[in-house]
Amino acid sequence: MTQEPGITVCGLRKRYGRVEALSGVDFTLPHGGVALLVGPNGAGKTSLLKVLMDILPYEAGSVAVLGLDPARDGARIRAAAGFLPEEIQFPFGRLRVHEVLSLHSRYRPGWDAAYAKALADTLELRHDRRWATLSKGESRRVQLACALAHRPSLLLLDEPTDGLDPIGRERVLGLLAEHLAETGATTIYCTHVLHEAQGLADRLIVLGKGRVRLDEDVELLRRTHHRVRFSVRDGAPPPAPFLLREESGGASERRWVVRAGASEIQEWAIAAEVSIIEITPVSLGDTALAYLASSAPPSELEAVGSNVSSASESHHV
């Protein structure tokens, strides 16, 4: 029996007055999948997470989270989820850290006291500190413990390392890697610091201006996206169907980010009579930037390099 996807979003639209924050968002995240959700400020990332948790209503489309509709089953989804919002306003500033953890445990039937203690030890929580006196990094670590301690089947994390120092970031990322390996939680990880979390994910979703610019398997992206540097004779290279972004251009040399395999790039270079200087892998961060920088609509971006993607998938089956 085929397992239902962890999250399915179709044609999702969300408005704030005249501003459309989500403009027909579509994506599917398999059960147990871990997606990095990236995009600039105002792209709609936080709105999307709040819709999934039924914290915000939406105007159009359909949403299924763990097989449930947030509009009808929001309470069940929130009980099953570990949610770490980008900003949190906790109204009980006088509570100490151990009291904050105790408060959360009362609303989480699956709360694992032993695991909560292990998380607190790993994150070096200071149990006697009052919430109002915590630094941003300290409060972030407490929030993360609250989000993980009931071993949720769904994790929605919005900038989980925000406010942490480099050692704290490394500790949190290691903890999340262990947690995901153990629980298999369906996860969306929102971040502006894509390079630090890319080892956790099997999917990359790029959101720009309320629309999905890219939704693809991470390993496929690594195989099918490259940076190519080449020389040209007359300053203007011929068109290439796989071009995503021109990073630099000059009279004699260009540098592009492309969706194409090395053999396809070489074939194009021969036909176009340009000289390849270098073909190198491109990071997920630069891949995301290429899709965000493109002015082409998402439907056209999906068509870019579709042949090489299909060929690569077939080759690796």
Side-chain angles (χ1 to χ4, degrees), residues 145-271:
C146 291
L148 300 181
H150 58 298
R151 301 183 186 274
S153 53
L154 172 70
L155 273 179
L156 301 177
L157 307 174
D158 200 348
E159 302 291 349
T161 63
D162 189 29
L164 300 180
D165 59 35
I167 294 176
R169 286 173 180 260
E170 184 175 329
R171 181 179 294 122
V172 163
L173 291 168
L175 178 64
L176 283 173
E178 293 176 4
H179 181 88
L180 293 174
E182 180 181 343
T183 64
T186 302
T187 303
I188 294 182
Y189 185 123
C190 284
T191 183
H192 285 102
V193 193
L194 192 150
H195 70 273
E196 72 175 18
Q198 59 187 359
L200 298 174
D202 49 41
R203 196 153 201 90
L204 177 64
I205 301 174
V206 178
L207 201 61
K209 296 182 179 179
R211 302 191 69 182
V212 173
R213 308 290 292 176
L214 175 70
D215 172 19
E216 202 152 300
D217 178 83
V218 164
E219 289 306 314
L220 180 60
L221 289 174
R222 290 189 173 121
R223 294 197 301 267
T224 58
H225 288 68
H226 294 85
R227 177 175 285 108
V228 55
R229 188 161 61 96
F230 60 93
S231 60
V232 293
R233 294 178 181 175
D234 302 320
F242 48 63
L243 172 62
L244 289 174
R245 184 186 184 214
E246 183 168 67
E247 293 184 319
S248 65
S252 61
E253 185 177 308
R254 300 293 176 96
R255 189 176 68 201
W256 289 355
V257 172
V258 301
R259 179 167 182 160
S263 60
E264 185 181 1
I265 296 169
Q266 295 285 5
E267 290 173 6
W268 168 81
I270 293 170

Side-chain angles (χ1 to χ4, degrees), residues 90-123:
F90 189 65
F92 309 114
R94 290 184 59 80
L95 290 185
R96 301 183 188 277
V97 168
H98 71 87
E99 293 172 320
V100 172
L101 292 169
S102 178
L103 179 64
H104 275 77
S105 72
R106 297 176 191 178
Y107 295 95
R108 304 294 187 187
W111 189 269
D112 184 334
Y115 188 41
K117 183 181 183 306
L119 290 170
D121 291 343
T122 300
L123 294 169

Side-chain angles (χ1 to χ4, degrees), residues 43-60:
K45 303 186 299 298
T46 296
S47 295
L48 174 59
L49 295 190
K50 289 183 176 180
V51 166
L52 297 178
M53 290 286 288
D54 191 38
I55 296 172
L56 283 177
Y58 56 95
E59 282 72 45

